[in-house]
């Protein structure tokens, strides 16, 4: 497969050859050298025809029958029928159309190419002797680097300075700079638009957000050329219609030049030129909105989606348990219950322990070192903190180890679908810590936007507990919900929904990868999420902003509408011109100029998908 730059250079050369042949031939004809003019026009046609035939053979080997055959027939017929000037004009018009397509594609790819051009190659790292400039590949987690004003942040890291102002528009599409505070994570690929700041490297460059984005963009650019599924549905019929009109014109009139004129008018065709430009324009526009669409086929299918299957954790929720309430009994206050529980949980690696510790630290509570720790994995933990005997765990676990109070008596008013951690201090039940994986604040607006975009069925599919999934579904008014699903169960649900209507699956974890692959369109949340899901998905949200997906849906609908406009208007004008040529009112050379005007019009229309 030729790279886009190589194709652009080849098409530029073919335009130059066809132009030179036409100009030299006209000069020779004006000078009375008709023999020379004939050979000049033939020389301007043959290279374009040879390149076209090679392209047709390659396409036929892939099983693709395209409208390039019409262009080859018109040039071949012009040479065979002794109309070299018409053949040269067609060659120039065709090569010029292909050149214009390459130019338009280059403009349309601008946003995706811009992503690749922003990669940082070096960083200023603090060392024993001061700052040193090192390749980003040499950075390791824990290194401290200086990010100067105007520099692209090379790796993901935590802000070590008091504050920073960064521009994340390359990934989010949002042009307003974002203020970061000390300790907050700063993503690679963003630009420092404020004062210089220090950053502590969170992960190696190869694992950073932006490195993954670049890899996914390259994968999209190296994949098959933009889908022409729309063109495939029309190409064979337009080819047959062209041959029928050309054959009828020759048979009825007995004038083979009329058949040639019909072939010339049909070449080049809006299906060949406008569709790739419209599709690439849409892909580029989506990339500017922070959504990477890997292929034209995915963009086209995105416009047809009627069912959306959503994972819960990390998609509609943040995927992290946070404290929503602390219920206490007797003399204990909420902060002290949390401090003692979090202090003891420092000895546990349970995911809930991480949530308690993080919440205590955010509240500025001073944690103590636990001693005499004993943990029953998955049930609870017992130990001593500041001379007190503390028990943390499930309600049944804590009640069995307490002499006073009952954790279940404190559960009144706890919302369904939330998790609770019971805490006992010195044999007395002190309180309940209520945890919930909070629904994203933009989740409800996202689902409303889905419905406005024509999605009439929403399904929640999650591996989480059924009651938790059901609670989220009720909160967001989702049509159907399934919980406690294995990856195989998710695949089965996706396949069942796909059999009913075009279906999109939105997920972010490794366990979502099989379901994403099974859906008509798989959408992965965040380029730094599971590598398996982002590799498998057809669409990747470059940052975890759900509203960007609604922008991509709008882009897909608009791109498909513009592509169909280009097809129907372009083909309609071409068919009218073919009929005029069949009646002898449009000679071959004039027909080529008319068709070129049609092609330019539909390409300019296709570029509207960029806006």
């Amino acid at each position: 497969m030729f790279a886009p730059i190589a194709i652009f250079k080849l098409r530029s050369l073919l335009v130059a050859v066809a132009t030179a042949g036409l100009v030299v031939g006209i000069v020779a004809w004006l000078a009375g050298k008709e023999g020379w003019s004939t050979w000049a026009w033939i020389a301007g046609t043959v290279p374009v025809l040879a390149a076209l035939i090679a392209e047709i053979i390659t396409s036929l080997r892939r099983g693709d029958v395209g409208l390039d055959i019409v262009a080859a027939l018109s040039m071949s017929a012009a040479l065979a029928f002794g109309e070299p000037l018409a053949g040269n004009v067609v060659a120039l018009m065709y090569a010029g159309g292909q050149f214009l397509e390459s130019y338009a594609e280059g403009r349309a790819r601008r946003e995706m190419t811009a992503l690749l051009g922003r990669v940082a190659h070096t960083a200023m790292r603090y060392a024993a002797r001061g700052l040193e400039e090192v390749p980003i590949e040499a950075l390791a987690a824990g290194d401290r680097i200086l990010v100067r004003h105007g520099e692209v942040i090379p790796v993901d890291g935590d802000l070590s300075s008091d504050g920073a102002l960064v521009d994340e528009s390359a990934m989010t599409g949002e042009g307003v700079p974002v203020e970061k505070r000390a300790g907050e994570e700063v993503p690679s690929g963003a630009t420092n638009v404020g004062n210089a700041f220090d950053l502590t490297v969170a992960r190696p460059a190869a694992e950073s957000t932006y490195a993954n984005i670049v890899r996914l963009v390259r994968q999209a650019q190296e994949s098959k050329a933009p889908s022409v599924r729309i063109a495939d549905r029309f190409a064979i019929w337009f080819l047959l219609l062209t041959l029928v009109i050309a054959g009828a014109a020759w048979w009825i009139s007995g004038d083979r030049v009329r058949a040639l004129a019909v072939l010339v008018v049909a070449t080049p065709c809006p299906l060949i030129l406008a569709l790739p430009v419209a599709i690439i324009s849409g892909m580029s526009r989506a990339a500017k909105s922070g959504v990477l669409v890997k292929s034209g086929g995915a963009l086209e299918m995105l416009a047809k989606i009627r069912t959306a299957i959503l994972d819960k954790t990390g998609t509609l929720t943040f995927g992290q348990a946070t404290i929503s309430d602390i219920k206490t009994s007797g003399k204990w206050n909420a902060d002290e219950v949390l401090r003692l529980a979090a202090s003891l949980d420092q000895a546990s690696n349970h995911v809930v322990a991480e949530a308690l510790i993080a919440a205590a630290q955010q509240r500025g509570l001073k944690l103590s070192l636990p001693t005499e720790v004993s943990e029953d994995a998955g049930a609870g933990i017992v130990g001593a903190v500041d001379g007190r005997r503390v028990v943390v765990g499930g309600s049944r676990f804590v009640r069995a180890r307490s002499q006073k109070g009952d954790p279940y008596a404190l559960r009144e008013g706890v919302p369904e679908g939330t998790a609770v951690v019971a805490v006992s201090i010195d044999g007395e039940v002190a309180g309940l810590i209520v945890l919930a994986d909070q629904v994203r604040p933009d989740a409800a607006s996202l689902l409303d936007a889905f419905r406005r975009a024509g999605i009439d069925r929403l399904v929640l599919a999650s591996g989480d507990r059924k009651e938790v999934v059901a609670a989220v579904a009720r909160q967001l008014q989702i049509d159907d919900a399934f919980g406690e699903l294995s990856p195989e169960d998710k695949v089965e649900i996706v396949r069942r929904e796909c059999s009913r209507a075009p279906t999109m699956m939105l997920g972010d974890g490794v366990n979502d990868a099989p379901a994403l692959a099974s859906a008509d369109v798989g959408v992965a949340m965040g380029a730094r999420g599971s590598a398996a899901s982002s590799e498998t998905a057809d669409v990747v949200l470059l940052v975890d902003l759900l509203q960007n997906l609604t922008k991509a849906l709008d882009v897909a609908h608009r791109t498909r509408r513009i592509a169909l406009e280009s097809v129907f208007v372009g083909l309609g004008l071409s068919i009218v011109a073919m009929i005029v040529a069949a009646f002898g009112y449009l000679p071959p050379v004039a027909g080529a100029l008319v068709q070129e005007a049609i092609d330019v019009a539909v390409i300019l229309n296709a570029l509207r998908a960029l806006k």
Side-chain angles (χ1 to χ4, degrees):
M1 180 183 293
F2 290 107
I5 294 178
I7 292 176
F8 182 79
K9 290 181 177 179
L10 175 61
R11 290 177 175 177
S12 301
L13 178 61
L14 292 177
V15 169
V17 169
T19 302
L22 183 63
V23 171
V24 171
I26 291 174
V27 171
W29 181 77
L30 292 175
K33 306 289 185 180
E34 294 186 4
W36 288 14
S37 64
T38 297
W39 285 109
W41 290 329
I42 292 174
T45 305
V46 170
V48 178
L49 179 59
L52 178 56
I53 291 174
E55 188 174 330
I56 291 172
I57 291 173
T58 302
S59 298
L60 291 176
R61 286 176 177 172
R62 294 196 306 262
D64 297 334
V65 179
L67 288 168
D68 286 342
I69 294 175
V70 177
L73 285 175
S74 63
M75 281 183 262
S76 300
L79 296 178
F81 295 167
E83 296 283 346
L85 174 58
N88 198 165
V89 171
V90 172
L92 178 58
M93 296 299 100
Y94 181 79
Q98 296 291 303
F99 173 82
L100 182 59
E101 178 195 6
S102 292
Y103 176 80
E105 284 185 4
R107 182 186 168 195
R109 288 184 186 272
R110 182 170 54 194
E111 301 302 335
M112 286 193 289
T113 304
L115 286 172
L116 299 180
R118 291 173 49 82
V119 180
H121 299 287
T122 62
M124 301 301 294
R125 181 174 65 183
Y126 285 97
R129 293 176 294 179
L131 286 169
E132 58 179 3
E133 187 171 8
V134 298
I136 62 171
E137 293 79 11
L139 296 176
D143 285 350
R144 190 182 179 100
I145 63 173
L146 173 68
V147 181
R148 295 168 291 192
H149 174 78
E151 288 186 337
V152 174
I153 299 165
V155 292
D156 297 339
D158 299 321
L159 184 62
S160 302
S161 300
D162 291 336
L165 188 64
V166 297
D167 177 7
E168 299 180 353
S169 60
M171 297 172 293
T172 66
E174 177 58 56
V176 179
V178 179
E179 292 186 11
K180 297 290 184 179
R181 298 176 182 175
E184 288 188 343
E185 182 167 322
V186 182
S188 55
T191 302
N192 178 16
V193 294
N195 296 327
F197 60 83
D198 290 348
L199 192 73
T200 301
V201 178
R203 56 189 62 87
E207 300 174 12
S208 68
T209 301
Y210 203 69
N212 202 25
I213 290 174
V214 168
R215 177 175 52 78
L216 292 170
V217 170
R218 284 181 175 147
Q219 181 187 75
Q221 290 192 333
E222 292 169 3
S223 64
K224 185 179 177 181
S227 169
V228 286
R229 291 185 182 182
I230 301 174
D232 292 342
R233 292 195 291 270
F234 295 103
I236 189 66
W237 297 108
F238 186 78
L239 175 59
L240 292 175
L241 179 63
T242 300
L243 295 177
V244 167
I245 294 176
W250 189 354
W251 180 66
I252 294 173
S253 68
D255 185 0
R256 62 186 184 183
V257 175
R258 291 194 184 185
L260 172 61
V262 171
L263 293 174
V264 166
V265 167
T267 310
C269 174
L271 283 173
I272 300 174
L273 301 175
L275 278 172
V277 173
I279 295 296
I280 294 178
S281 296
M283 293 170 66
S284 179
R285 186 66 188 86
K288 190 173 183 179
S289 299
V291 181
L292 177 63
V293 182
K294 293 185 181 180
S295 69
L299 186 71
E300 183 184 343
M301 182 55 70
L302 201 59
K304 301 178 182 179
I305 294 301
R306 292 295 174 267
T307 300
I309 301 176
L310 312 164
D311 180 41
K312 180 186 75 69
T313 306
T315 302
L316 295 180
T317 65
F318 287 104
Q320 295 178 335
T322 57
I323 294 178
S324 59
D325 191 15
I326 300 178
K327 293 180 173 293
T328 62
S329 62
K331 58 185 178 182
W332 304 103
N333 65 62
D335 281 352
E336 183 64 8
V337 169
L338 175 59
R339 188 187 75 82
L340 292 173
S343 296
L344 179 59
D345 266 343
Q346 292 177 106
S348 174
N349 60 2
H350 195 278
V351 62
V352 171
E354 296 176 2
L356 298 188
I357 295 168
Q361 291 174 339
Q362 288 175 357
R363 297 189 184 196
L365 303 179
K366 185 177 181 180
L367 302 185
S368 304
L369 290 177
T371 58
E372 304 173 17
V373 176
S374 174
E375 183 173 11
D376 186 350
I381 186 171
V382 180
V385 178
D386 293 339
R388 296 184 179 277
R389 183 174 180 273
V390 180
V391 183
V392 178
S395 296
R396 183 178 301 176
F397 179 87
V398 172
R399 182 172 63 177
R401 290 159 179 78
S402 302
Q403 290 77 48
K404 184 179 180 182
D406 185 354
Y408 289 97
L410 299 175
R411 295 179 70 98
E412 184 179 354
V414 174
E416 182 183 356
T418 56
V420 295
V421 175
V423 181
S424 171
I425 303 172
D426 291 336
E428 178 184 353
V429 173
L432 289 182
I433 300 175
V434 183
L435 296 163
D437 185 3
Q438 299 292 332
V439 172
R440 289 172 178 264
D442 56 351
S445 60
L446 169 76
L447 300 186
D448 289 340
F450 278 177
R451 293 186 175 94
R452 290 194 299 271
I455 296 175
D456 48 31
R457 177 169 167 78
L458 298 172
V459 178
L460 186 57
S462 175
D464 208 341
R465 301 194 317 275
K466 290 182 179 180
E467 61 271 19
V468 175
V469 175
V472 172
R474 282 194 298 272
Q475 180 180 347
L476 296 175
Q477 299 181 340
I478 292 175
D479 300 309
D480 211 344
F482 303 91
E484 300 179 13
L485 299 176
S486 67
E488 292 78 12
D489 295 331
K490 285 188 179 182
V491 170
E492 181 57 34
I493 290 173
V494 169
R495 288 175 177 169
R496 186 169 66 241
E497 295 295 336
C498 286
S499 67
R500 297 174 179 171
T503 299
M504 171 179 71
M505 170 70 189
L506 178 62
D508 76 329
V510 174
N511 61 332
D512 293 325
L516 293 175
S518 301
D520 293 311
V521 176
V523 181
M525 283 288 296
R528 209 189 67 218
S530 159
S533 62
S534 60
E535 289 281 359
T536 305
D538 305 292
V539 178
V540 179
L541 304 187
L542 299 183
V543 290
D544 290 343
L545 293 176
L546 292 174
Q547 61 265 34
N548 285 356
L549 181 56
T550 65
K551 295 178 184 178
L553 286 168
D554 291 340
V555 168
H557 282 285
R558 187 167 187 270
T559 298
R560 189 169 187 271
R561 184 173 66 251
I562 289 173
L564 288 173
E565 287 174 0
S566 298
V567 168
F568 289 123
V569 173
L571 288 186
L573 293 174
S574 295
I575 291 171
V576 170
M578 287 162 58
I579 294 173
V580 173
F583 280 98
Y585 296 111
L586 197 61
V589 174
L593 295 174
V594 168
Q595 185 58 54
E596 180 66 9
I598 295 173
D599 295 332
V600 170
V602 296
I603 287 176
L604 292 177
N605 181 66
L607 281 172
R608 288 171 48 224
L610 276 173
K611 298 185 180 300

